[in-house]
Amino acid sequence: MTNSELSLRLARPSDATVIAELSRDLIEYGLRWRWTAMRVAASIREPDVNVLVACSEANVAGFAIMRYGEDDAHLDLLAVALPYRRTGIGRQLVEWLEKCAVVAGIFNVALEVRAGNESAQRFYENLGYRTLAHLPGYYQGVEAALRMGRDLSRRPPDRGNR
């Protein structure tokens, strides 16, 4: 997929259902579904949250939700639909949201990732995130998480376009 085939834009309320379904299927599998269309729509309306979608033609290829606080930001969710994985969409989504944080004067970003999801951990490590804590039972008491973070005032290691 070329970059000309992909566009990033802030989500609209009409995107809430597809974002929620992607969250259910790609992030929340094996857990109670919490990021329903109603919750996603509420996030879209929140002034301190960016819900970003990556579109390929009319399809939502991926999305990310970042919440901005006074001094730090939190990446709540990130997912890329299976046919679009390993095309750079995840990296573009995260970098777009990180730029918004920097413009707002926020240089610390945190996120949680399933302790068993090594590919997601490598993805975030390649973007400059480091493990900060191991959180047993973080996901509804069922599964552990790793809290990862990044200082945006420091450049991530240059690892090419993986």
Side-chain angles (χ1 to χ4, degrees), residues 23-35 77 114 137-145:
S23 178
R24 180 194 62 208
D25 297 344
L26 301 175
I27 299 170
E28 299 180 81
Y29 56 88
L31 302 170
R32 285 186 320 277
W33 186 24
R34 297 187 54 197
W35 282 90
L77 296 175
R114 288 181 184 220
Y138 180 83
Y139 293 105
Q140 302 172 12
V142 174
E143 191 170 349

Side-chain angles (χ1 to χ4, degrees), residues 8 13 82 92 99 122 126 148-149:
L8 300 181
L82 296 174
Q92 289 179 58
K99 285 177 188 173
R122 279 192 304 277
N126 287 336
M148 300 182 80

